[in-house]
Amino acid sequence: VQIHLHKQIPFGAGLGGGSSDAAYTLIMINRLFKLQITHEELEKLALEIGSDCPFFIKSGTQFARARGEILQPFEFALPKMRLLVALPNISIPTSWAYQNIKSKSNSLSPRIVIEKTIENWKEELNNDFEEAVFEAYPSLQKLKTDIYNAGAIYASLSGSGSAIFGIFYSEKPIEIDPDYLSFWLDF
């Protein structure tokens, strides 16, 4: 099989681009050659490629535990909102992020926090990568603060970084520093 990948999701942004590409490649090879490999078997194969690759075999809303390979689907819906994703010109190697993560074992389970209203998330839903990443890249902490100052209800580093996202009720476009590539999604 010869594959040409036209990558649209930037490397080192914490958006799962490489992991989703790997997972969908497995899915497409399975379909192309009619291998009839089950989802469970595909997830095991995907885990050999990367810890979060099984997530993209199933897709949908899921809680991930351990290294990201233990998945539990759940129903989740937000009211009509807008999502801003800001992509700085910084690439954070996933391996560096995992070597420097400062896990907070005493924090609330994300599942418990997610079940609360979104207004509670700012104080209770934390990305453990942020401490190390913001220490090494202070401009990312400033970007998160800027997104909150622009009216976000919740903002966070995406995955291991470097993208920062914000969730807004606002329907009007919010201006972000032009040094950052940014885009809006409605959901």
Side-chain angles (χ1 to χ4, degrees), residues 129-157:
F129 285 108
E130 285 186 0
E131 187 175 343
V133 169
F134 289 171
E135 187 177 303
Y137 304 93
S139 63
L140 296 180
Q141 185 168 21
K142 181 186 180 310
L143 176 58
K144 180 180 175 181
T145 300
D146 290 347
I147 290 172
Y148 270 125
N149 289 340
I153 302 153
Y154 179 72
S156 179
L157 181 72

PDB file of all heavy atoms in Angstrom, residues 129-157:
ATOM      1  N   PHE A 129      -1.112  18.959  31.763  1.00  0.00           N
ATOM      2  CA  PHE A 129       0.041  19.358  30.961  1.00  0.00           C
ATOM      3  C   PHE A 129       0.328  20.855  31.088  1.00  0.00           C
ATOM      4  O   PHE A 129       1.437  21.297  30.830  1.00  0.00           O
ATOM      5  CB  PHE A 129      -0.180  19.029  29.477  1.00  0.00           C
ATOM      6  CG  PHE A 129      -0.051  17.571  29.147  1.00  0.00           C
ATOM      7  CD1 PHE A 129      -1.172  16.827  28.833  1.00  0.00           C
ATOM      8  CD2 PHE A 129       1.186  16.945  29.139  1.00  0.00           C
ATOM      9  CE1 PHE A 129      -1.068  15.483  28.517  1.00  0.00           C
ATOM     10  CE2 PHE A 129       1.305  15.607  28.831  1.00  0.00           C
ATOM     11  CZ  PHE A 129       0.171  14.871  28.512  1.00  0.00           C
ATOM     12  N   GLU A 130      -0.681  21.643  31.453  1.00  0.00           N
ATOM     13  CA  GLU A 130      -0.533  23.099  31.415  1.00  0.00           C
ATOM     14  C   GLU A 130       0.614  23.621  32.277  1.00  0.00           C
ATOM     15  O   GLU A 130       1.343  24.517  31.858  1.00  0.00           O
ATOM     16  CB  GLU A 130      -1.842  23.792  31.804  1.00  0.00           C
ATOM     17  CG  GLU A 130      -2.870  23.742  30.705  1.00  0.00           C
ATOM     18  CD  GLU A 130      -4.112  24.551  31.012  1.00  0.00           C
ATOM     19  OE1 GLU A 130      -4.209  25.181  32.096  1.00  0.00           O
ATOM     20  OE2 GLU A 130      -5.009  24.564  30.151  1.00  0.00           O
ATOM     21  N   GLU A 131       0.797  23.090  33.467  1.00  0.00           N
ATOM     22  CA  GLU A 131       1.834  23.625  34.349  1.00  0.00           C
ATOM     23  C   GLU A 131       3.212  23.580  33.688  1.00  0.00           C
ATOM     24  O   GLU A 131       3.907  24.594  33.605  1.00  0.00           O
ATOM     25  CB  GLU A 131       1.856  22.870  35.687  1.00  0.00           C
ATOM     26  CG  GLU A 131       2.790  23.491  36.682  1.00  0.00           C
ATOM     27  CD  GLU A 131       2.723  22.830  38.055  1.00  0.00           C
ATOM     28  OE1 GLU A 131       1.748  22.115  38.354  1.00  0.00           O
ATOM     29  OE2 GLU A 131       3.679  23.029  38.833  1.00  0.00           O
ATOM     30  N   ALA A 132       3.607  22.422  33.186  1.00  0.00           N
ATOM     31  CA  ALA A 132       4.931  22.294  32.564  1.00  0.00           C
ATOM     32  C   ALA A 132       5.008  23.055  31.238  1.00  0.00           C
ATOM     33  O   ALA A 132       6.002  23.730  30.957  1.00  0.00           O
ATOM     34  CB  ALA A 132       5.267  20.822  32.335  1.00  0.00           C
ATOM     35  N   VAL A 133       3.948  22.963  30.441  1.00  0.00           N
ATOM     36  CA  VAL A 133       3.954  23.625  29.138  1.00  0.00           C
ATOM     37  C   VAL A 133       3.991  25.143  29.305  1.00  0.00           C
ATOM     38  O   VAL A 133       4.761  25.836  28.636  1.00  0.00           O
ATOM     39  CB  VAL A 133       2.740  23.172  28.290  1.00  0.00           C
ATOM     40  CG1 VAL A 133       2.584  24.037  27.044  1.00  0.00           C
ATOM     41  CG2 VAL A 133       2.888  21.695  27.895  1.00  0.00           C
ATOM     42  N   PHE A 134       3.179  25.681  30.210  1.00  0.00           N
ATOM     43  CA  PHE A 134       3.151  27.129  30.410  1.00  0.00           C
ATOM     44  C   PHE A 134       4.458  27.643  31.016  1.00  0.00           C
ATOM     45  O   PHE A 134       4.874  28.761  30.736  1.00  0.00           O
ATOM     46  CB  PHE A 134       1.966  27.540  31.286  1.00  0.00           C
ATOM     47  CG  PHE A 134       0.623  27.405  30.617  1.00  0.00           C
ATOM     48  CD1 PHE A 134      -0.540  27.571  31.339  1.00  0.00           C
ATOM     49  CD2 PHE A 134       0.507  27.102  29.266  1.00  0.00           C
ATOM     50  CE1 PHE A 134      -1.788  27.460  30.744  1.00  0.00           C
ATOM     51  CE2 PHE A 134      -0.737  26.978  28.650  1.00  0.00           C
ATOM     52  CZ  PHE A 134      -1.887  27.162  29.397  1.00  0.00           C
ATOM     53  N   GLU A 135       5.100  26.815  31.819  1.00  0.00           N
ATOM     54  CA  GLU A 135       6.401  27.201  32.377  1.00  0.00           C
ATOM     55  C   GLU A 135       7.445  27.322  31.253  1.00  0.00           C
ATOM     56  O   GLU A 135       8.246  28.246  31.232  1.00  0.00           O
ATOM     57  CB  GLU A 135       6.839  26.159  33.406  1.00  0.00           C
ATOM     58  CG  GLU A 135       8.085  26.519  34.166  1.00  0.00           C
ATOM     59  CD  GLU A 135       8.406  25.467  35.226  1.00  0.00           C
ATOM     60  OE1 GLU A 135       7.546  25.210  36.090  1.00  0.00           O
ATOM     61  OE2 GLU A 135       9.513  24.897  35.162  1.00  0.00           O
ATOM     62  N   ALA A 136       7.397  26.378  30.322  1.00  0.00           N
ATOM     63  CA  ALA A 136       8.367  26.378  29.217  1.00  0.00           C
ATOM     64  C   ALA A 136       7.982  27.368  28.110  1.00  0.00           C
ATOM     65  O   ALA A 136       8.852  27.887  27.417  1.00  0.00           O
ATOM     66  CB  ALA A 136       8.494  24.974  28.627  1.00  0.00           C
ATOM     67  N   TYR A 137       6.694  27.623  27.947  1.00  0.00           N
ATOM     68  CA  TYR A 137       6.187  28.497  26.881  1.00  0.00           C
ATOM     69  C   TYR A 137       5.201  29.509  27.471  1.00  0.00           C
ATOM     70  O   TYR A 137       3.978  29.349  27.332  1.00  0.00           O
ATOM     71  CB  TYR A 137       5.494  27.675  25.790  1.00  0.00           C
ATOM     72  CG  TYR A 137       6.355  26.595  25.179  1.00  0.00           C
ATOM     73  CD1 TYR A 137       6.335  25.287  25.675  1.00  0.00           C
ATOM     74  CD2 TYR A 137       7.187  26.877  24.102  1.00  0.00           C
ATOM     75  CE1 TYR A 137       7.122  24.297  25.110  1.00  0.00           C
ATOM     76  CE2 TYR A 137       7.974  25.897  23.526  1.00  0.00           C
ATOM     77  CZ  TYR A 137       7.946  24.601  24.044  1.00  0.00           C
ATOM     78  OH  TYR A 137       8.719  23.621  23.490  1.00  0.00           O
ATOM     79  N   PRO A 138       5.688  30.547  28.139  1.00  0.00           N
ATOM     80  CA  PRO A 138       4.794  31.517  28.794  1.00  0.00           C
ATOM     81  C   PRO A 138       3.805  32.180  27.838  1.00  0.00           C
ATOM     82  O   PRO A 138       2.719  32.598  28.263  1.00  0.00           O
ATOM     83  CB  PRO A 138       5.742  32.555  29.387  1.00  0.00           C
ATOM     84  CG  PRO A 138       7.096  31.934  29.370  1.00  0.00           C
ATOM     85  CD  PRO A 138       7.098  30.867  28.332  1.00  0.00           C
ATOM     86  N   SER A 139       4.127  32.268  26.561  1.00  0.00           N
ATOM     87  CA  SER A 139       3.198  32.890  25.608  1.00  0.00           C
ATOM     88  C   SER A 139       1.894  32.096  25.500  1.00  0.00           C
ATOM     89  O   SER A 139       0.841  32.661  25.199  1.00  0.00           O
ATOM     90  CB  SER A 139       3.843  33.029  24.234  1.00  0.00           C
ATOM     91  OG  SER A 139       4.151  31.765  23.692  1.00  0.00           O
ATOM     92  N   LEU A 140       1.951  30.802  25.777  1.00  0.00           N
ATOM     93  CA  LEU A 140       0.729  29.991  25.730  1.00  0.00           C
ATOM     94  C   LEU A 140      -0.183  30.298  26.915  1.00  0.00           C
ATOM     95  O   LEU A 140      -1.408  30.316  26.770  1.00  0.00           O
ATOM     96  CB  LEU A 140       1.069  28.504  25.682  1.00  0.00           C
ATOM     97  CG  LEU A 140       1.815  28.038  24.434  1.00  0.00           C
ATOM     98  CD1 LEU A 140       2.102  26.548  24.499  1.00  0.00           C
ATOM     99  CD2 LEU A 140       1.041  28.379  23.182  1.00  0.00           C
ATOM    100  N   GLN A 141       0.410  30.542  28.071  1.00  0.00           N
ATOM    101  CA  GLN A 141      -0.399  30.929  29.231  1.00  0.00           C
ATOM    102  C   GLN A 141      -1.068  32.278  28.964  1.00  0.00           C
ATOM    103  O   GLN A 141      -2.240  32.479  29.277  1.00  0.00           O
ATOM    104  CB  GLN A 141       0.442  30.989  30.489  1.00  0.00           C
ATOM    105  CG  GLN A 141      -0.397  31.279  31.723  1.00  0.00           C
ATOM    106  CD  GLN A 141       0.371  31.057  33.010  1.00  0.00           C
ATOM    107  OE1 GLN A 141       1.594  31.063  33.033  1.00  0.00           O
ATOM    108  NE2 GLN A 141      -0.361  30.858  34.073  1.00  0.00           N
ATOM    109  N   LYS A 142      -0.326  33.193  28.331  1.00  0.00           N
ATOM    110  CA  LYS A 142      -0.897  34.495  27.990  1.00  0.00           C
ATOM    111  C   LYS A 142      -2.040  34.335  26.998  1.00  0.00           C
ATOM    112  O   LYS A 142      -3.084  34.986  27.117  1.00  0.00           O
ATOM    113  CB  LYS A 142       0.177  35.425  27.413  1.00  0.00           C
ATOM    114  CG  LYS A 142      -0.367  36.808  27.070  1.00  0.00           C
ATOM    115  CD  LYS A 142       0.659  37.662  26.366  1.00  0.00           C
ATOM    116  CE  LYS A 142       0.130  39.031  26.019  1.00  0.00           C
ATOM    117  NZ  LYS A 142      -1.158  39.078  25.336  1.00  0.00           N
ATOM    118  N   LEU A 143      -1.882  33.453  26.025  1.00  0.00           N
ATOM    119  CA  LEU A 143      -2.938  33.210  25.043  1.00  0.00           C
ATOM    120  C   LEU A 143      -4.199  32.703  25.737  1.00  0.00           C
ATOM    121  O   LEU A 143      -5.307  33.158  25.439  1.00  0.00           O
ATOM    122  CB  LEU A 143      -2.462  32.221  23.982  1.00  0.00           C
ATOM    123  CG  LEU A 143      -3.493  31.790  22.941  1.00  0.00           C
ATOM    124  CD1 LEU A 143      -4.063  32.994  22.186  1.00  0.00           C
ATOM    125  CD2 LEU A 143      -2.876  30.791  21.968  1.00  0.00           C
ATOM    126  N   LYS A 144      -4.043  31.783  26.669  1.00  0.00           N
ATOM    127  CA  LYS A 144      -5.210  31.271  27.408  1.00  0.00           C
ATOM    128  C   LYS A 144      -5.888  32.410  28.170  1.00  0.00           C
ATOM    129  O   LYS A 144      -7.121  32.540  28.141  1.00  0.00           O
ATOM    130  CB  LYS A 144      -4.793  30.151  28.367  1.00  0.00           C
ATOM    131  CG  LYS A 144      -5.960  29.583  29.159  1.00  0.00           C
ATOM    132  CD  LYS A 144      -5.527  28.469  30.096  1.00  0.00           C
ATOM    133  CE  LYS A 144      -6.684  28.013  30.968  1.00  0.00           C
ATOM    134  NZ  LYS A 144      -6.288  26.949  31.894  1.00  0.00           N
ATOM    135  N   THR A 145      -5.106  33.258  28.827  1.00  0.00           N
ATOM    136  CA  THR A 145      -5.654  34.407  29.547  1.00  0.00           C
ATOM    137  C   THR A 145      -6.377  35.353  28.590  1.00  0.00           C
ATOM    138  O   THR A 145      -7.470  35.838  28.886  1.00  0.00           O
ATOM    139  CB  THR A 145      -4.526  35.151  30.297  1.00  0.00           C
ATOM    140  OG1 THR A 145      -3.926  34.241  31.221  1.00  0.00           O
ATOM    141  CG2 THR A 145      -5.054  36.368  31.039  1.00  0.00           C
ATOM    142  N   ASP A 146      -5.790  35.596  27.421  1.00  0.00           N
ATOM    143  CA  ASP A 146      -6.411  36.456  26.413  1.00  0.00           C
ATOM    144  C   ASP A 146      -7.762  35.896  25.964  1.00  0.00           C
ATOM    145  O   ASP A 146      -8.719  36.649  25.747  1.00  0.00           O
ATOM    146  CB  ASP A 146      -5.506  36.639  25.199  1.00  0.00           C
ATOM    147  CG  ASP A 146      -4.270  37.481  25.486  1.00  0.00           C
ATOM    148  OD1 ASP A 146      -4.213  38.142  26.547  1.00  0.00           O
ATOM    149  OD2 ASP A 146      -3.349  37.465  24.640  1.00  0.00           O
ATOM    150  N   ILE A 147      -7.836  34.591  25.820  1.00  0.00           N
ATOM    151  CA  ILE A 147      -9.092  33.959  25.395  1.00  0.00           C
ATOM    152  C   ILE A 147     -10.150  34.123  26.485  1.00  0.00           C
ATOM    153  O   ILE A 147     -11.308  34.442  26.199  1.00  0.00           O
ATOM    154  CB  ILE A 147      -8.861  32.481  25.004  1.00  0.00           C
ATOM    155  CG1 ILE A 147      -8.051  32.430  23.700  1.00  0.00           C
ATOM    156  CG2 ILE A 147     -10.177  31.730  24.863  1.00  0.00           C
ATOM    157  CD1 ILE A 147      -7.590  31.041  23.290  1.00  0.00           C
ATOM    158  N   TYR A 148      -9.760  33.956  27.742  1.00  0.00           N
ATOM    159  CA  TYR A 148     -10.711  34.210  28.835  1.00  0.00           C
ATOM    160  C   TYR A 148     -11.129  35.673  28.842  1.00  0.00           C
ATOM    161  O   TYR A 148     -12.312  35.997  28.997  1.00  0.00           O
ATOM    162  CB  TYR A 148     -10.122  33.824  30.193  1.00  0.00           C
ATOM    163  CG  TYR A 148     -10.393  32.397  30.601  1.00  0.00           C
ATOM    164  CD1 TYR A 148      -9.357  31.536  30.929  1.00  0.00           C
ATOM    165  CD2 TYR A 148     -11.694  31.907  30.681  1.00  0.00           C
ATOM    166  CE1 TYR A 148      -9.603  30.222  31.312  1.00  0.00           C
ATOM    167  CE2 TYR A 148     -11.953  30.597  31.059  1.00  0.00           C
ATOM    168  CZ  TYR A 148     -10.910  29.764  31.376  1.00  0.00           C
ATOM    169  OH  TYR A 148     -11.162  28.474  31.749  1.00  0.00           O
ATOM    170  N   ASN A 149     -10.183  36.575  28.657  1.00  0.00           N
ATOM    171  CA  ASN A 149     -10.495  38.012  28.646  1.00  0.00           C
ATOM    172  C   ASN A 149     -11.415  38.397  27.491  1.00  0.00           C
ATOM    173  O   ASN A 149     -12.128  39.392  27.569  1.00  0.00           O
ATOM    174  CB  ASN A 149      -9.218  38.849  28.609  1.00  0.00           C
ATOM    175  CG  ASN A 149      -8.459  38.790  29.917  1.00  0.00           C
ATOM    176  OD1 ASN A 149      -9.008  38.441  30.972  1.00  0.00           O
ATOM    177  ND2 ASN A 149      -7.176  39.108  29.871  1.00  0.00           N
ATOM    178  N   ALA A 150     -11.412  37.589  26.430  1.00  0.00           N
ATOM    179  CA  ALA A 150     -12.282  37.848  25.283  1.00  0.00           C
ATOM    180  C   ALA A 150     -13.696  37.317  25.515  1.00  0.00           C
ATOM    181  O   ALA A 150     -14.563  37.480  24.663  1.00  0.00           O
ATOM    182  CB  ALA A 150     -11.679  37.236  24.028  1.00  0.00           C
ATOM    183  N   GLY A 151     -13.926  36.664  26.658  1.00  0.00           N
ATOM    184  CA  GLY A 151     -15.272  36.223  26.993  1.00  0.00           C
ATOM    185  C   GLY A 151     -15.509  34.729  27.010  1.00  0.00           C
ATOM    186  O   GLY A 151     -16.657  34.280  27.101  1.00  0.00           O
ATOM    187  N   ALA A 152     -14.459  33.923  26.944  1.00  0.00           N
ATOM    188  CA  ALA A 152     -14.646  32.464  26.978  1.00  0.00           C
ATOM    189  C   ALA A 152     -15.215  32.032  28.322  1.00  0.00           C
ATOM    190  O   ALA A 152     -14.864  32.574  29.361  1.00  0.00           O
ATOM    191  CB  ALA A 152     -13.323  31.748  26.719  1.00  0.00           C
ATOM    192  N   ILE A 153     -16.083  31.038  28.278  1.00  0.00           N
ATOM    193  CA  ILE A 153     -16.606  30.428  29.495  1.00  0.00           C
ATOM    194  C   ILE A 153     -15.582  29.437  30.033  1.00  0.00           C
ATOM    195  O   ILE A 153     -15.431  29.266  31.221  1.00  0.00           O
ATOM    196  CB  ILE A 153     -17.917  29.685  29.197  1.00  0.00           C
ATOM    197  CG1 ILE A 153     -18.920  30.649  28.605  1.00  0.00           C
ATOM    198  CG2 ILE A 153     -18.477  29.012  30.431  1.00  0.00           C
ATOM    199  CD1 ILE A 153     -19.908  29.966  27.718  1.00  0.00           C
ATOM    200  N   TYR A 154     -14.888  28.788  29.099  1.00  0.00           N
ATOM    201  CA  TYR A 154     -13.858  27.815  29.461  1.00  0.00           C
ATOM    202  C   TYR A 154     -12.760  27.867  28.403  1.00  0.00           C
ATOM    203  O   TYR A 154     -13.036  28.028  27.209  1.00  0.00           O
ATOM    204  CB  TYR A 154     -14.441  26.396  29.536  1.00  0.00           C
ATOM    205  CG  TYR A 154     -13.411  25.354  29.892  1.00  0.00           C
ATOM    206  CD1 TYR A 154     -12.903  25.284  31.186  1.00  0.00           C
ATOM    207  CD2 TYR A 154     -12.913  24.471  28.949  1.00  0.00           C
ATOM    208  CE1 TYR A 154     -11.930  24.351  31.519  1.00  0.00           C
ATOM    209  CE2 TYR A 154     -11.946  23.530  29.280  1.00  0.00           C
ATOM    210  CZ  TYR A 154     -11.458  23.481  30.563  1.00  0.00           C
ATOM    211  OH  TYR A 154     -10.495  22.566  30.897  1.00  0.00           O
ATOM    212  N   ALA A 155     -11.522  27.735  28.833  1.00  0.00           N
ATOM    213  CA  ALA A 155     -10.380  27.683  27.922  1.00  0.00           C
ATOM    214  C   ALA A 155      -9.361  26.697  28.476  1.00  0.00           C
ATOM    215  O   ALA A 155      -9.250  26.524  29.695  1.00  0.00           O
ATOM    216  CB  ALA A 155      -9.741  29.069  27.775  1.00  0.00           C
ATOM    217  N   SER A 156      -8.622  26.069  27.571  1.00  0.00           N
ATOM    218  CA  SER A 156      -7.639  25.081  28.004  1.00  0.00           C
ATOM    219  C   SER A 156      -6.626  24.819  26.903  1.00  0.00           C
ATOM    220  O   SER A 156      -6.888  25.051  25.718  1.00  0.00           O
ATOM    221  CB  SER A 156      -8.343  23.766  28.350  1.00  0.00           C
ATOM    222  OG  SER A 156      -7.417  22.773  28.764  1.00  0.00           O
ATOM    223  N   LEU A 157      -5.478  24.317  27.329  1.00  0.00           N
ATOM    224  CA  LEU A 157      -4.510  23.743  26.409  1.00  0.00           C
ATOM    225  C   LEU A 157      -5.156  22.490  25.826  1.00  0.00           C
ATOM    226  O   LEU A 157      -5.802  21.726  26.548  1.00  0.00           O
ATOM    227  CB  LEU A 157      -3.245  23.377  27.193  1.00  0.00           C
ATOM    228  CG  LEU A 157      -2.076  22.778  26.437  1.00  0.00           C
ATOM    229  CD1 LEU A 157      -1.411  23.851  25.576  1.00  0.00           C
ATOM    230  CD2 LEU A 157      -1.062  22.211  27.427  1.00  0.00           C
TER     231      LEU A 157
END
